[in-house]
Amino acid sequence: MLQLFDTASQITKELSLRKPGVVGLYVCGPTVYGPAHVGHGRAVLTYDILRRYLEFSGFEVQHVSNITDIDDKIILRANAEGRSWQEVARECEEEWWATMDAMGVLRPVEQPHATAYVEQMVELIEHLIERGFAYQTVDGVYLKAALVPDYGLLSHQSIEDRRSGARVEMDEHKEDPIDFVLWKFAKPGEPTWPSPWGAGRPGWHTECVVMSLALLGEGFELHGGGQDLIFPHHDNERAQAVAVGSRFARHWMHNGMVTVAGEKMSKSLNNFTTLNELLEHTDARSYRLLVLRAHYRSPLEVNATTIEASAAALTRIDALIRRLDGSEVSRGEIATALSTELRDRFVAAMDNDLDTPAAVAEIFEAVRRANSLADAGDVSLAARLSEEIATLLGALGIEVHQARKIDDEVRSLVEQRDSARGNRDYSTSDKIREELENLGWVVEDTAEGTRIHR
RNA sequence: GGCGGCGUGGCCGAGUGGCUUAGGCAAGGGCCUGCAAAGCCCUCUACCCCAGUUCGAUUCUGGGCGCCGCCUCCA
């Protein structure tokens, strides 16, 4: 079974399940105030790949990912554009899902919105106050972090380290610099919800506690997000859950950052590429393959060179699938042994903390093998291997290309070219080839005649 | 300053105490082809530095150097 590195214990281990065969997965989703960039894409792809692989392995995955639809940045943008914050959030969310669809990412089973859970957040904060973990100041309600057992468990920072680290500018009203806000009292012109302490809105971390526990229940299996969320977001989520006496996530997973020239891609550094820009000139599968070719916890360098290398690698796979498309598929012993061996190696790599680079290497090795078999005339064996390759790629979310519809005009050109070649009229056949290439087709000669593809 | 992590061949990027030439991209040579394309075969460039443990270290330990992330905006 799958072993995953756990951020809390820093050990690679199996997920501990409440119910056999079912995995509750909560992934921190986007704050919808702008377009998704390549870094978001990596995170989403990582969990999409995890989910697909778990499903491939026979698990049911209760995949929940939230939409943060109220936040300072949303308000800021709405004010700047003279629009309502709801309009900004709704528009950005629509764009988000459209982009995710284009990326071939499965929709989470549940997509809760922060604003739909404000009442429950208020209840949670009330409990925190009752239990003595939270206090009110003139500008909000804060959690007293020092009271929480194992505060800093995920970032492995002790309270003392944190305090002395203090580049935190001391908030005027907090009792301790490490405390964090649960409820913000409204400033003029800001959206508000009612609460026992006064009108305002929730702090950032509370929503995920409420929504994950509401939808997945106590002690859910796995909580994920980007490494930049370990602190403060996830430490602070956990702190609240622990403080109210809930059993929170059993296992924590964090994906590495996307880098550009060695530096983290982020909106604040303004070195980001949006996913939509990427998709304008790249097959979405190329980016998925690029993501797969680095381990999920390593930084991933994304630039024109790495994307193009990935796109080129993808054409190798597509070429194999095309080559064997429609061939008879062997069900014999040798073919079964070949495909079983591939699957076993693939699964072993994936189960080892989602070692997708190794898993992908197995697939490429099999591609070479299948081509080699086909060259040797063992086409039905090759076809069986190719079929397995397509299945395994599917488990990673890469669909192999289907043959494209060829219209009559093009088909006629192909036929003319074959007849010219049959007559050894190569000047005509080369002319037709050029014509086809100008129409955007790649032309290949095979024993069965001209084959074309895009 | 604290915490987490990294340093592998032209590039990306796995892995292991002693045969992985991992894999991909790029480059060179060959086979195949009317010419191509695709494919196959071959070749090339590795494990940051210094000590130590060991019969043996790229892999383990210590030190050094360099880099990245987080330290309450952040996937």
Side-chain angles (χ1 to χ4, degrees):
Chain A
M1 172 181 176
L2 175 64
Q3 306 239 352
L4 276 179
F5 182 83
D6 170 40
T7 308
S9 61
Q10 299 187 281
I11 288 170
T12 300
K13 60 186 183 190
E14 283 188 12
L15 296 175
S16 140
L17 307 182
R18 290 167 294 176
K19 187 177 160 195
V22 184
V23 177
L25 167 66
Y26 186 91
V27 180
C28 286
T31 300
V32 280
Y33 71 98
H37 64 61
V38 169
H40 297 112
R42 185 197 189 178
V44 169
L45 285 169
T46 297
Y47 296 101
D48 185 64
I49 289 158
L50 169 71
R51 170 192 173 170
R52 287 174 188 265
Y53 180 66
L54 283 169
E55 288 175 350
F56 170 81
S57 303
F59 293 93
E60 178 192 338
V61 182
Q62 299 171 336
H63 179 194
V64 178
S65 190
N66 64 297
I67 296 286
T68 299
D69 57 351
I70 182 63
D71 159 271
D72 290 350
K73 290 186 173 165
I74 298 171
I75 297 169
L76 214 63
R77 179 166 167 197
N79 289 344
E81 297 177 3
R83 303 197 282 163
S84 73
W85 61 272
Q86 289 97 330
E87 197 183 330
V88 170
R90 193 179 328 114
E91 185 186 287
C92 291
E93 182 181 347
E94 273 171 29
E95 191 187 338
W96 170 268
W97 291 122
T99 303
M100 290 308 129
D101 289 347
M103 294 291 296
V105 169
L106 297 173
R107 294 275 174 119
V109 177
E110 303 260 12
Q111 305 134 34
H113 292 71
T115 52
Y117 284 83
V118 177
E119 275 182 38
Q120 293 179 57
M121 290 190 237
V122 169
E123 281 172 35
L124 175 77
I125 296 167
E126 284 186 294
H127 288 312
L128 288 169
I129 292 175
E130 280 164 24
R131 288 174 155 255
F133 281 97
Y135 58 90
Q136 188 176 335
T137 72
V138 295
D139 66 345
V141 179
Y142 289 83
L143 190 106
K144 205 161 175 54
L147 297 181
V148 177
D150 293 327
Y151 183 70
L153 180 75
L154 299 173
S155 59
H156 305 281
Q157 280 271 84
S158 72
I159 287 165
E160 278 319 306
D161 289 342
R162 186 74 67 198
R163 284 197 187 113
S164 64
R167 89 174 188 208
V168 189
E169 65 275 23
M170 182 63 186
D171 181 303
E172 327 61 73
H173 309 297
K174 283 199 275 188
E175 291 179 5
D176 188 328
I178 63 170
D179 293 347
F180 59 91
V181 69
L182 300 170
W183 188 260
K184 301 178 179 182
F185 293 144
K187 298 183 196 110
E190 287 184 348
T192 64
W193 284 261
S195 87
W197 323 285
R201 63 196 155 90
W204 177 32
H205 317 299
T206 308
E207 61 177 276
C208 289
V209 183
V210 164
M211 295 189 290
S212 62
L213 290 173
L215 294 169
L216 294 173
E218 297 249 333
F220 62 91
E221 281 73 21
L222 180 59
H223 192 134
Q227 278 171 354
D228 54 356
L229 295 183
I230 293 173
F231 186 87
H233 189 50
H234 286 167
D235 265 334
N236 288 353
E237 279 184 39
R238 181 186 162 276
Q240 292 175 67
V242 168
V244 289
S246 290
R247 175 87 163 84
F248 206 48
R250 294 164 182 244
H251 202 112
W252 293 84
M253 169 171 168
H254 292 95
N255 62 277
M257 299 293 97
V258 165
T259 60
V260 179
E263 293 218 301
K264 179 186 169 189
M265 176 177 288
S266 70
K267 293 197 179 173
S268 45
L269 283 176
N270 208 33
N271 62 347
F272 63 92
T273 305
T274 67
L275 286 171
N276 290 340
E277 285 163 358
L278 181 80
L279 290 171
E280 275 171 25
H281 47 85
T282 312
D283 184 335
R285 302 177 308 150
S286 296
Y287 187 50
R288 184 182 288 260
L289 184 58
L290 179 60
V291 166
L292 284 163
R293 297 201 318 166
H295 186 86
Y296 75 89
R297 286 191 282 119
S298 302
L300 173 66
E301 180 67 24
V302 177
N303 57 47
T305 309
T306 61
I307 289 170
E308 280 160 22
S310 198
L314 194 58
T315 64
R316 226 173 117 64
I317 292 167
D318 286 337
L320 174 77
I321 301 297
R322 214 165 41 233
R323 179 179 189 183
L324 296 165
D325 186 37
S327 301
E328 186 207 341
V329 178
S330 170
R331 299 288 155 201
E333 244 176 72
I334 299 173
T336 302
L338 278 175
S339 68
T340 303
E341 186 194 354
L342 170 59
R343 181 174 299 220
D344 289 350
R345 287 167 164 276
F346 174 86
V347 166
M350 291 296 286
D351 281 352
N352 177 26
D353 194 22
L354 231 50
D355 189 352
T356 57
V360 167
E362 293 298 342
I363 287 174
F364 278 104
E365 186 59 34
V367 168
R368 189 197 54 75
R369 198 162 185 186
N371 272 315
S372 193
L373 283 166
D375 282 357
D378 294 323
V379 175
S380 66
L381 285 182
R384 177 68 183 274
L385 204 47
S386 167
E387 182 184 79
E388 185 68 16
I389 287 167
T391 302
L392 298 180
L393 285 167
L396 302 173
I398 292 183
E399 297 300 324
V400 294
H401 260 330
Q402 296 303 310
R404 208 174 233 252
K405 187 116 172 70
I406 297 169
D407 64 38
D408 289 344
E409 187 198 349
V410 172
R411 189 175 303 285
S412 151
L413 284 172
V414 169
E415 282 164 12
Q416 286 171 43
R417 180 162 186 274
D418 276 340
S419 101
R421 291 188 75 232
N423 299 328
R424 295 176 172 267
D425 177 2
Y426 294 120
S427 74
T428 301
S429 85
D430 286 351
K431 223 165 96 187
I432 296 174
R433 174 162 64 197
E434 200 176 320
E435 210 172 320
L436 284 165
E437 284 171 350
N438 288 339
L439 289 168
W441 296 92
V442 176
V443 180
E444 292 175 8
D445 294 339
T446 71
E448 295 81 43
T450 299
R451 293 186 73 155
I452 57 170
H453 65 91
R454 292 273 191 186

